[in-house]
Amino acid sequence: MKIHNAFRFGLFGALGVLVAVAIGAAITSLATILTYIGAAIFLALGFDPFVTWLEKKGIRRPFAILIVLVGVLSVVAGLVLAIVPVIVDQVDTLIVQVPILIAGIEDESLIDEVKQNFPWLDVDLVLNEITSAVQDPQFIGNLGGGVLQAGITIATGVTGALIVIILMLYFIASLANLKRGIYTLVPASKRPAFIDITEQISASVGRYVVGQGTLALVNGVLSFIVLTFVIRVEYSALLAFIAFLGSLIPLVGTITASITITLAVWLFNGTPEVFYVAGYYLVYMQIEAYVLNPRIMTQAVQVPGVIVVIAALSGGTLLGILGALVAIPVAASIQLVIRQVVVPRQNEL
């Protein structure tokens, strides 16, 4: 009898392992779709306060959603309009410079200039490596494959963004019905407490998105003013937009955008403008870290600073940029559940 019980236990254990492996494989296969859904839900909860605010002003919800969508698309259009002129200008410059570069290589004047400016560089060795790479029969194939892969990556990114926007609209439009459907699954005796906590979590996510967006807007506007009217660098609108997008990412976003902008100014303008830009962003990052961020985010999510850092780092490690964005409101939600559910139960024991 014991043998049969042991066999049955082992059989069910093996089946449990197989089911777990199958579920893990399914989740892995659906990772991209789940990421899109998670991003759409997060954005829907983030933009819902704006829709609700417009509703309180007397605008019907469909029109409020349309206004929010137009705002989001305007931001995307601004990015495109800021990038396209830069790309066109750089392509024109490249077309003009190509014959000059070819002539400089043929008469070796360009090579002599490089040797003068970079005496520590073995120019002949670099030229030999480049020549060997170009003469490799696989070079054209690898180059074409890289271009194709870049095109696929861009197309995938654009498609993913469209999917997230469409899902976000569906979630915003049916957010109230989704919440009511979830609430009906909870026992009636526990439903009021569950509704209260859920609404607090939704409000926390919304406040977090508004807070992070406010930080990004401050960085973008100040960057545009300083880069355009004070330092007077090229492509200030594009660089300010990069600053805005970077500040949307917690912790590492601002410093990454600042380094990118500084390198771009060094490339387009050179010195001394690059030193002015670097100095400005060093000062701004201190102000954001010690003045703006604590004031805005503490009121938004009410999470201690150390938990914010740990959550953002952990989320970024697990899920990349999306994980870093979602980690802080998730930490705020966990803290809220612990404070209002776990702690009262422990006090009753």
Side-chain angles (χ1 to χ4, degrees), residues 265-289:
V265 171
W266 178 59
L267 179 64
F268 294 138
N269 294 84
T271 57
E273 287 84 355
V274 64
F275 298 112
Y276 300 149
V277 172
Y280 162 72
Y281 278 109
L282 284 175
V283 174
Y284 173 78
M285 283 189 290
Q286 303 307 311
I287 296 174
E288 182 183 278

Side-chain angles (χ1 to χ4, degrees), residues 156-193:
T156 302
V158 172
T159 303
L162 291 175
I163 292 173
V164 169
I165 291 174
I166 293 171
L167 289 175
M168 181 192 71
L169 291 176
Y170 278 116
F171 285 133
I172 292 178
S174 58
L175 194 59
N177 293 330
L178 288 174
K179 287 182 178 180
R180 281 195 296 268
I182 294 173
Y183 296 156
T184 57
L185 301 176
V186 180
S189 59
K190 299 180 180 179
R191 195 172 297 163

Side-chain angles (χ1 to χ4, degrees), residues 45-284:
L45 292 174
F47 286 117
D48 186 63
F50 296 103
V51 176
T52 303
W53 181 79
L54 291 173
E55 282 187 294
K56 291 180 180 178
K57 297 297 181 179
I59 301 175
R60 297 179 60 184
R61 189 171 182 84
F63 294 105
I65 295 173
L66 180 61
I67 292 172
V68 172
L69 176 62
V70 169
V72 174
L73 294 179
S74 299
V75 173
V76 176
L79 174 62
V80 173
L81 293 176
I83 290 177
V84 169
V86 178
I87 296 176
V88 172
D89 182 66
Q90 293 303 307
V91 170
D92 291 340
T93 303
L94 180 62
I95 293 173
V96 173
Q97 291 295 325
V98 165
I100 299 175
L101 290 174
I102 293 175
I105 293 173
E106 289 178 347
D107 61 16
E108 297 188 353
S109 61
L110 178 62
I111 298 174
D112 293 337
E113 184 178 350
V114 172
K115 287 181 178 179
Q116 277 185 338
N117 293 329
F118 304 96
W120 47 268
L121 182 65
D122 191 345
V123 178
D124 295 328
L125 178 62
V126 173
L127 288 175
N128 290 333
E129 293 292 333
I130 294 174
T131 303
S132 300
V134 172
Q135 291 176 349
D136 189 347
Q138 296 181 348
F139 175 76
I140 300 299
N142 294 334
L143 182 62
V147 173
L148 178 61
Q149 185 61 42
I152 293 174
T153 302
I154 294 173
T156 302
V158 172
T159 303
L162 291 175
I163 292 173
V164 169
I165 291 174
I166 293 171
L167 289 175
M168 181 192 71
L169 291 176
Y170 278 116
F171 285 133
I172 292 178
S174 58
L175 194 59
N177 293 330
L178 288 174
K179 287 182 178 180
R180 281 195 296 268
I182 294 173
Y183 296 156
T184 57
L185 301 176
V186 180
S189 59
K190 299 180 180 179
R191 195 172 297 163
F194 180 81
I195 292 174
D196 179 56
I197 293 176
T198 303
E199 292 298 330
Q200 289 185 58
I201 291 174
S202 300
S204 177
V205 174
R207 289 195 304 269
Y208 168 74
V209 173
V210 173
Q212 199 67 42
T214 302
L215 286 174
L217 185 63
V218 170
N219 191 7
V221 171
L222 289 179
S223 295
F224 180 76
I225 293 173
V226 172
L227 297 176
T228 303
F229 303 106
V230 179
I231 304 178
R232 300 180 183 275
V233 302
E234 295 185 37
Y235 312 118
S236 58
L238 174 61
L239 299 179
F241 203 94
I242 292 174
F244 170 79
L245 292 179
S247 291
L248 291 175
I249 305 171
L251 296 182
V252 298
T254 299
I255 186 172
T256 303
S258 300
I259 293 173
T260 303
I261 292 170
T262 303
L263 293 176
V265 171
W266 178 59
L267 179 64
F268 294 138
N269 294 84
T271 57
E273 287 84 355
V274 64
F275 298 112
Y276 300 149
V277 172
Y280 162 72
Y281 278 109
L282 284 175
V283 174
Y284 173 78

